[in-house]
Amino acid sequence: MDEKKKSLRKKVERSVFAGNRAAAAKELGSTGDPEAVPILIKALEDSSPKVKIAASDALGRLNDPAAVPGLIKMLAEPENTVKKTAIIALGKIGTPEAVSGIVKGFSDPDKFVQKESVKALMRIGSLESISGLTEALGSSDTPLKKNSIIALGKINTYEAGCGLIKALEDPDNRVRQRAVKTLGKRGNPDVLADLMESLKDSRQPVHEAASEALRKIIAASDSVPVMVKALDATDRNVRKTAIEALWKAGTSEAIPPLLRELDDADWYLRSRAADALADIASPEAALGLIKVMDIHDSPVKKIIVNALGKIGTVEAVEGLVKALEDLDSSVRETAALVLGKTGKTEAVPGLLKALHDSKNAVQEAAVISLGDLKAKDAVPELLKILDDPEAKTHKAVISTLEKIGTPEAVSGLARALENHGAFVRRAALKALERVEKSGNTLEKVKNLGTSGFEVSE
């Protein structure tokens, strides 16, 4: 040891003035000399709190495990500043023995000492320190538990995440909410499986806290595998969040799990999955929906049909035309209505066939969609229906002929003025009046020799 260090040592040991002893201890710590450790450990027994603080600080900077027992003894001192400095020093040393000492600070009556203990363990971040922070969650002190939760959230390890999950079981709602918020902010999905297990807890507050935490993690994640894993959750709100996250992702990777969600026991979630697939609107989504249509019951089929209608691609239209042959007439009716909204002429052949469906509702839906598509090729078939006294779709046919508006369609409307049904004649008259009023097809009407329309008695 050089002369300067010898001089500092003598001051620490022999100076009459506490200020000089403290200054010498501080300077010894800045030398980085391990030979100074024994004298600084002895200085921890000094009668002056100033010297104890300076010696503790110096030992923390020298980072020698040999100082741990002496620093732990400082936690029994009456002065809070002495205890806080000792904890900070133990935190810098960070050995398992140091952690054991820091944990003792949790039982200190001073809140600042407790908080310093939490911060020290957070900075260490070892398994032992995580264990100490988790142990603090069993305390009856709410501020201590909340501070421990914050500290665990800043240690980005699986073990720290498990500690936060334990906090979800706390009887205090404030503590549970802090854990939920911290897990969400942490955003790491490493504890996903553990949280999903917590959903099975029979205690409602625990279940709700686990659900909220999961939803926060899923919503913050950009990992499709994480979202897919969450689809297995027992909680519908978690599955809903996973569906919406997959929806937002909108990738081809999201399509297969969304298709599987069409099997969900919850009707609303099935519809959300279908809406997500519709919004993705890719050929893969359309083909996937078509492929699974046959394995589902009618309510799900109708959800799929509406999703295909929103997609509106040629592939989707092919699937909708296929649905016109479903055994359930309500599915056929839905498909017929949706086809008209696609704007695709590829739908016309299937709709023409549906005009002869065994159910009037399906026939009418096909008539309406042919009007939406302004399908000129449908006029001959529509006129046949209009001439059929047994048909139940005359009114819809008249509306569709008006929409199509070709000379042949207008001619059919004019012929309907002689129809046996009074309501058909009145509907045809109103349609022709609208045609004449529009002026777009007035010449066509005049060429047919029909103007100043009158309904036959």
Side-chain angles (χ1 to χ4, degrees), residues 442-450:
L442 184 56
E443 290 304 317
K444 298 174 185 176
V445 176
K446 288 181 177 178
N447 290 338
L448 294 168
T450 310

Side-chain angles (χ1 to χ4, degrees), residues 183-196:
L183 279 164
K185 190 174 180 180
R186 178 177 179 266
N188 195 328
D190 56 349
V191 292
L192 200 71
D194 301 272
L195 278 171
M196 288 174 67

Side-chain angles (χ1 to χ4, degrees), residues 228-249:
V228 172
K229 190 173 183 180
L231 291 175
D232 293 328
T234 55
D235 185 277
R236 76 180 294 275
N237 290 323
V238 173
R239 299 199 302 278
K240 177 177 176 287
T241 301
I243 289 169
E244 289 171 352
L246 287 165
W247 189 342
K248 185 178 178 181

Side-chain angles (χ1 to χ4, degrees), residues 337-416:
L337 284 171
V338 168
L339 277 166
K341 295 178 174 63
T342 64
K344 294 288 190 299
T345 56
E346 289 83 358
V348 172
L351 289 170
L352 288 174
K353 188 175 179 181
L355 292 176
H356 306 287
D357 194 277
S358 60
K359 296 291 183 179
N360 292 329
V362 180
Q363 295 172 14
E364 186 169 348
V367 170
I368 292 168
S369 284
L370 287 167
D372 290 340
L373 294 170
K374 293 183 171 54
K376 298 177 182 179
D377 293 344
V379 172
E381 286 296 320
L382 292 170
L383 294 178
K384 286 179 185 179
I385 295 172
L386 209 53
D387 290 336
D388 181 359
E390 301 298 323
K392 306 294 183 182
T393 56
H394 287 151
K395 192 171 181 181
V397 168
I398 288 170
S399 177
T400 289
L401 288 170
E402 180 187 345
K403 287 180 181 178
I404 295 172
T406 62
E408 293 78 13
V410 176
S411 174
L413 290 173
R415 282 162 47 195

Side-chain angles (χ1 to χ4, degrees), residues 27 39 51 64 73 75 87 110 143 166 249 362 402 451:
E27 195 169 347
I39 190 63
V51 178
D64 192 323
K73 285 181 182 178
L75 300 180
I87 287 169
D110 186 83
K166 182 179 179 182
V362 180
E402 180 187 345
S451 60

Side-chain angles (χ1 to χ4, degrees), residues 84 87-88 112-120 123:
K84 285 173 62 179
I87 287 169
I88 292 170
F112 292 101
V113 173
Q114 292 181 7
K115 194 170 184 179
E116 202 60 61
S117 300
V118 170
K119 286 166 64 177
R123 284 192 290 266

Side-chain angles (χ1 to χ4, degrees), residues 232-275:
D232 293 328
T234 55
D235 185 277
R236 76 180 294 275
N237 290 323
V238 173
R239 299 199 302 278
K240 177 177 176 287
T241 301
I243 289 169
E244 289 171 352
L246 287 165
W247 189 342
K248 185 178 178 181
T251 62
S252 58
E253 193 181 4
I255 293 172
L258 286 171
L259 288 169
R260 289 196 298 274
E261 267 306 285
L262 295 174
D263 285 320
D264 198 285
D266 189 292
W267 180 88
Y268 177 72
L269 297 187
R270 295 198 298 268
S271 66
R272 293 298 284 171
D275 287 341

Side-chain angles (χ1 to χ4, degrees), residues 149-198:
I149 287 168
I150 294 169
L152 286 168
K154 292 181 179 179
I155 303 173
N156 197 25
T157 66
Y158 170 72
E159 291 78 13
C162 290
L164 291 170
I165 291 174
K166 182 179 179 182
L168 299 179
E169 301 175 9
D170 197 277
D172 190 326
N173 181 56
R174 294 168 298 174
V175 175
R176 293 196 303 273
Q177 284 304 310
R178 174 67 69 180
V180 167
K181 184 177 179 181
T182 303
L183 279 164
K185 190 174 180 180
R186 178 177 179 266
N188 195 328
D190 56 349
V191 292
L192 200 71
D194 301 272
L195 278 171
M196 288 174 67
E197 195 63 29
S198 295

